[in-house]
Every structure is written in C-alpha cells, then in structure tokens.
Amino acid sequence: MPQFSPLSPAPIDVISIQSQVIYGSVGNGIAYRTLLAKGLQALQVPTVLFGCPPYYGPPHGGVIPDDWFGGFLDDLLARGVAQQTRAVIVGYLGNDRQCLLLADWLRRVRALNPQVLIVIDPVIGDYGEGVYVHQRLVDCYRSPFLQLADGLTPNGFELEQISGATLSCREQIVNAARALLNDATRWVLVTSAPDRQADPQDISLLWVTADEVKAISHRKIDANVKGTGDMFTALLVSQLLAGEPAENAVYHAIEEVCAALTEAARYGWGEIGRLTASA
C-alpha cells in the first residue's frame, strides 16, 4: 500500500500519460519536450516504452505491465502530486486494461482536484494507416471513458472510429463531435477533419462546442515526420494553462507545429527537431 508523504509535493503543471520512446518525436518523446520548452513542470507516465517508434522496424520494449502502470498512477496520488497538478494529458494507450485503470484514476483525481484540466487524445489511427490499436481499445474509447475529459483532440479518422460512421462533410463531423459533449466534456477539436469544400492542399481543423463551431485551416507541409498530433495537444494545453482564449490557443499551437514541420522539411529530418522556448 503506498505511503502518503507528510511533505508537500513540488509543483507540477502537467502529467502526460502516453507512449514513451528513447529516440523519436512521438508520444512523450515530443509532448514532454514541448511542455518543458513552454516553461511548464511536467511528469511522464509511460503506457509503452520503446527504443524508437515502430516505423523504424520492430523496436525493443513493449507495453508497461498493468501492475506497473496502475502503480505509477497510485504513486502520484500517494505523493499528493495528482491532487495539485493543473492538467492531465492522455495519449496513446497500450491496451484496454490501461484504459480501465486510467478511468478509475481520473475519477479519483477529479474528485480530489476539481479544477484539473483533463485532455484526452484518443489515439486509434489515421486515414493513411488505418487502425493501429486493438479493437478492444477502440471499444473502450466508445465507452464512458472519454466523458471524463474536459476536451478531446481526435483526428477525423479517430472521430469516425468512435462514432461508428463515415464522416465526409462538416455537418456530419460537427454532429459526431457534439455527440461526445457532456457536463464534463466542453469541447472537441477535430484535427485533419475531412472537408470536401476545402483546398486539397489545406489541412482543416474544427473546434466544436455546444454553442459554436470554428473552422481553421493551414497549408500542408511536406515533412516526413510523426508525432505532430502529440505535439499539438501539448502546445494546446500549454496555451490554455497560460490563460489564452481557446481560439487563440489553437492558432498558436498550429503556428508552432507548422514551424517545426517546416524546419524538419528544410533539413530532411526524420523527427521533429528544435523547439521554441517559452518567451
């Protein structure tokens, strides 16, 4: 049984729970670096640990065992860290059991820390790659798990998998996103949203709440790197914690992701490189 410390925990702004790689800019490999660059105190909780991302070939490592993963989360409560953190980011999960453990933990954190910002990126796959997680995890995302978040950042493909429908126009995307809203979940930001009316060279995003829809787009950048969604969510959370209005936070996050992609394309890098330090 974890022992509670009589000492106060050091301030932590964000707990980032997602995949972790030794080399690479996916999951916490980019999210953690991004949060630190923005001047935030952050902790990493790995769901999987690999030497490098699997697109380089079969990596060393694997899924964090359930007892380890649950123990990591319990330790953060025992140390008093989760009770004081300002935000929790959830990204790639290794299996459906982690989803269940995390759901219970998030409920406990919310009860002890009602002001915490919880953002879940339901990582399932993408249009070019299809589904790259087990179907049981997709089913977990269709359960009340996502209702624990203040905000969600699925891409268009992931929103289709969660809703169980093909989404080919803005109205369908908005309806599917609004179906995920509830008393806790106040917004859904759909990245890489399909839009027949958009320029094929543009990437579309939709910010959806119960009362408004904001359409945002930017030009495609020909960079062969992964992890932009993980970076984007970390940037968005950092902006929201800084007090930026939601629309401004989205624009700032897009600008920084595009700058990182432009640099990677310029130098021919396979991963996201240098990050902009906090002003």
Side-chain angles (χ1 to χ4, degrees):
M1 188 74 179
Q3 297 297 309
F4 286 82
S5 172
L7 301 176
S8 298
I12 294 296
D13 297 303
V14 184
I15 299 171
S16 181
I17 305 170
Q18 52 188 311
S19 63
Q20 197 160 324
V21 292
I22 307 302
Y23 171 77
S25 54
V26 298
N28 271 330
I30 188 62
Y32 182 67
R33 290 168 53 204
T34 299
L35 295 167
L36 294 184
K38 292 302 160 190
L40 295 172
Q41 299 298 315
L43 295 179
Q44 306 174 77
V45 177
T47 57
V48 300
L49 179 58
F50 292 119
C52 59
Y55 46 78
Y56 288 110
H60 295 89
V63 177
I64 300 299
D66 294 343
D67 58 336
W68 284 28
F69 182 71
F72 295 160
L73 298 176
D74 286 342
D75 286 345
L76 291 176
L77 283 169
R79 300 289 79 77
V81 176
Q83 292 90 319
Q84 297 187 29
T85 191
R86 298 169 64 200
V88 176
I89 295 174
V90 178
Y92 182 92
L93 300 180
N95 57 38
D96 56 308
R97 178 61 182 162
Q98 289 183 351
C99 189
L100 298 175
L101 291 168
L102 192 51
D104 177 68
W105 184 79
L106 288 173
R107 291 187 187 98
R108 287 186 285 161
V109 171
R110 178 77 77 186
L112 295 166
N113 184 3
Q115 301 305 312
V116 67
L117 171 66
I118 299 174
V119 177
I120 298 178
D121 181 3
V123 180
I124 294 173
D126 210 339
Y127 289 110
E129 302 171 69
V131 174
Y132 48 67
V133 299
H134 197 282
Q135 182 61 42
R136 289 196 299 268
L137 187 52
V138 179
D139 294 338
C140 278
Y141 286 133
R142 292 172 178 164
S143 76
F145 174 67
L146 295 184
Q147 298 175 14
L148 300 170
D150 294 280
L152 304 170
T153 59
N155 62 37
F157 178 83
E158 288 160 347
L159 185 59
E160 287 187 345
Q161 297 302 308
I162 294 165
S163 66
T166 300
L167 308 174
S168 57
C169 67
R170 183 173 299 178
E171 181 181 7
Q172 292 174 341
I173 296 168
V174 170
N175 289 339
R178 282 186 168 153
L180 300 176
L181 302 178
N182 56 71
D183 291 341
T185 309
R186 295 167 292 148
W187 53 266
V188 178
L189 180 61
V190 186
T191 61
S192 302
D195 188 345
R196 291 175 178 173
Q197 298 177 340
D199 187 315
Q201 293 305 308
D202 284 350
I203 300 291
S204 299
L205 299 86
L206 283 178
W207 173 273
V208 181
T209 70
D211 303 317
E212 67 175 351
V213 176
K214 297 281 188 181
I216 305 164
S217 64
H218 65 85
R219 300 297 284 180
K220 288 182 180 178
I221 299 170
D222 188 18
N224 189 28
V225 299
K226 304 291 186 182
T228 53
D230 306 318
M231 181 183 184
F232 178 85
T233 298
L235 286 167
L236 178 64
V237 168
S238 72
Q239 292 291 330
L240 293 174
L241 290 181
E244 285 288 343
E247 188 171 358
N248 289 357
V250 174
Y251 278 115
H252 286 315
I254 290 172
E255 287 176 358
E256 294 204 41
V257 169
C258 287
L261 287 175
T262 299
E263 183 182 51
R266 177 184 178 187
Y267 292 105
W269 291 340
E271 302 289 343
I272 296 171
R274 294 180 293 264
L275 301 180
T276 303
S278 179

